[in-house]
Amino acid sequence: MQYTRAMIELVYEIRRRVPSDMKPSIKMANPDMFHELAAFYHQSKDVISKTLIKELFELAGEPWTGVLAAHQPELPKQTTKVYRGQVTLTDSKPSGDTAAKPKRMYRGRAID
C-alpha cells in the first residue's frame, strides 16, 4: 500500500492518541496496523480517535472502507479541524438551513 502525506499525518495523530500499550504496533511498517486499528475502533469510546481512524480507512481505499461500517451505530455528522496541532471535532452544519443565519446588526438595529 502506498501512503499519501495525509495518511502519514493521520497515522502520527492516531499514534499520539492511542494508549501507550498500542503505540509500538501503530507504525506504517506493521502490516497488521489496519487490523489493530479496526479492533481499537470498535472498542474505543474516544470520538476523535474514531473519526481519525475512519478518515484514514477512507483514504486507504476499497478493501478498508467497509471494515468499520459493520457494528457501527449512526453518529451525527462531524468534521475534524486541526489548528496548530490540536484536533477538535465540530458538528457539521446542515446544507439547506437558511433560517439559522444571524441578522447583521449596526448600532443596535438590524440591517438587511
Side-chain angles (χ1 to χ4, degrees):
M1 172 185 299
Q2 294 290 327
Y3 290 101
T4 63
R5 180 73 178 157
M7 291 172 69
I8 293 169
E9 290 175 1
L10 281 171
V11 170
Y12 286 148
E13 185 64 31
I14 291 167
R15 183 182 164 108
R16 237 189 66 208
R17 295 186 159 276
V18 298
S20 60
D21 59 332
M22 278 192 69
K23 285 186 183 188
S25 64
I26 306 299
K27 52 185 156 186
M28 290 166 280
N30 183 5
D32 295 330
M33 178 182 71
F34 280 93
H35 296 291
E36 293 178 16
L37 285 176
F40 177 72
Y41 179 86
H42 291 299
Q43 72 171 354
S44 176
K45 294 185 190 280
D46 184 19
V47 178
I48 295 174
S49 296
K50 287 180 123 178
T51 305
L52 291 172
I53 292 170
K54 185 175 182 181
E55 189 172 340
L56 175 66
F57 275 52
E58 288 175 2
L59 289 175
E62 181 49 42
W64 299 106
T65 54
V67 172
L68 300 179
H71 313 295
Q72 165 128 353
E74 185 64 32
L75 296 174
K77 297 289 182 183
Q78 295 180 331
T79 57
T80 57
K81 292 185 180 181
V82 179
Y83 179 72
R84 294 189 178 181
Q86 296 294 321
V87 179
T88 58
L89 277 178
T90 56
D91 291 333
S92 296
K93 297 176 185 172
S95 59
D97 192 14
T98 58
K101 186 174 180 181
K103 287 200 165 253
R104 294 177 50 195
M105 301 292 284
Y106 179 73
R107 294 188 178 181
R109 296 182 183 185
I111 57 174
D112 294 324

